[in-house]
C-alpha cells in the first residue's frame, strides 16, 4: 500500500510569483483534499477533488486553484503569492463516502519572501 | 464551524493519563482524531461514528457523546512516543474535515 507523497518538500518564492505543488494519492483512494496549516494552527480546508472535479471549497480566494488527474494525483496552484501564504500545505487522500480516515502527505513548506 | 479542543496544551510524566476534549456547536455524526509530530504529517488515530462503539487501540481510546456534541480522547499510561499535537476533525457541509486548533501533548521522562 503506497502512501501519499508530496513534492517539493520545501519551496521559497517571491511575493507575486506563482507556485504549483504536487500530490500523489494513496492507491485505491479517489478523493484528494488540500489543507493549509499555519504555524501552531490546525489544518485549514482549501478544497477537495473527486473524479477530477472540485466538490468542496473552503474560505480561500480564487487564486488558489487545483486539478485532479485520472490517476487521482493532484496539483495545487497559487497565483499572485502573498506573504501570508507562507505555510505548510498538506495533501490528504481518502475514499469519498466511506468512514475511513484521511492519509496525509508530509507536506510542502512554502515560504513567501 | 470549527470544533473546540481543550486543553490547548498538557504536560505529562511518563505513565500518567490524559484526556483531550473536542466539542462542536453543530450536530456531530462522526469525529476523527489525528496526531501530528513536529515537522511531520498528521497521522490518523481513529474515527468515532454516531451510534458506533467506543474505539481504541492499545492505550489510546476515545468516546463520542452525541447528545453533548462532544468527543474525548483518552491516553492511558502515556509513553514518550505519545508526544505531539492532537487534532480532532468533524465533517463540514461539503464532506470535508474541519479540524480543531489542536492540543499539544508533551510527555516527559
Amino acid at each position: 500500500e503506497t502512501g501519499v507523497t508530496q513534492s517539493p518538500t520545501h519551496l521559497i518564492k517571491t511575493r507575486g510569483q506563482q507556485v504549483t505543488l504536487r500530490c500523489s494519492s494513496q492507491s485505491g483512494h479517489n478523493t484528494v483534499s488540500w489543507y493549509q496549516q499555519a504555524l501552531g494552527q490546525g489544518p485549514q480546508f482549501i478544497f477537495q477533488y473527486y473524479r477530477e472535479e472540485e466538490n468542496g471549497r473552503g474560505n480561500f480566494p480564487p487564486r488558489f486553484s487545483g486539478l485532479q488527474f485520472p490517476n487521482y494525483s493532484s496539483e495545487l496552484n497559487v497565483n499572485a503569492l502573498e506573504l501570508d501564504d507562507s505555510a505548510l500545505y498538506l495533501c490528504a487522500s481518502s475514499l469519498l463516502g466511506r468512514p475511513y480516515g484521511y492519509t496525509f502527505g508530509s507536506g510542502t513548506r512554502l515560504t513567501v519572501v | 464551524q470549527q470544533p473546540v479542543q481543550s486543553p490547548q496544551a498538557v504536560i505529562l510524566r511518563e505513565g500518567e493519563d490524559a484526556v483531550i476534549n473536542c466539542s462542536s456547536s453543530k450536530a456531530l455524526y462522526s469525529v476523527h482524531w489525528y496526531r501530528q509530530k513536529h515537522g511531520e504529517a498528521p497521522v490518523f488515530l481513529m474515527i468515532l461514528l454516531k451510534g458506533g462503539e467506543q474505539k481504541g487501540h492499545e492505550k489510546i481510546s476515545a468516546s463520542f457523546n452525541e447528545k453533548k456534541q462532544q468527543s474525548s480522547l483518552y491516553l492511558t499510561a502515556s509513553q514518550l512516543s505519545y508526544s505531539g499535537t492532537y487534532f480532532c476533525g468533524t465533517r463540514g457541509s461539503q464532506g470535508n474535515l474541519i479540524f480543531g486548533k489542536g492540543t499539544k501533548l508533551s510527555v516527559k521522562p
Side-chain angles (χ1 to χ4, degrees), chain A:
Chain A
E1 182 180 274
T2 59
V4 174
T5 57
Q6 291 187 242
S7 62
T9 54
H10 296 83
L11 204 52
I12 299 175
K13 288 286 190 178
T14 303
R15 190 170 50 180
Q17 285 188 312
Q18 177 265 343
V19 68
T20 297
L21 310 182
R22 294 180 173 83
C23 170
S24 294
S25 300
Q26 178 164 315
S27 174
H29 284 184
N30 57 16
T31 303
V32 173
S33 306
W34 285 91
Y35 286 82
Q36 180 194 66
Q37 187 176 27
L39 211 56
Q41 298 295 314
Q44 296 293 310
F45 176 63
I46 302 175
F47 45 58
Q48 176 174 285
Y49 278 81
Y50 172 67
R51 290 185 175 178
E52 303 173 52
E53 296 283 335
E54 183 182 294
N55 77 335
R57 188 177 185 92
N59 190 25
F60 280 80
R63 59 189 185 84
F64 285 78
S65 63
L67 285 172
Q68 185 186 29
F69 301 101
N71 65 355
Y72 302 123
S73 64
S74 176
E75 286 182 356
L76 164 66
N77 299 290
V78 187
N79 293 322
L81 284 167
E82 300 177 0
L83 297 179
D84 284 349
D85 295 335
S86 295
L88 179 68
Y89 289 84
L90 294 165
C91 166
S93 72
S94 59
L95 271 173
L96 189 70
R98 300 295 182 91
Y100 302 137
Y102 283 16
T103 301
F104 280 89
S106 297
T108 295
R109 171 71 64 187
L110 173 65
T111 303
V112 183
V113 297

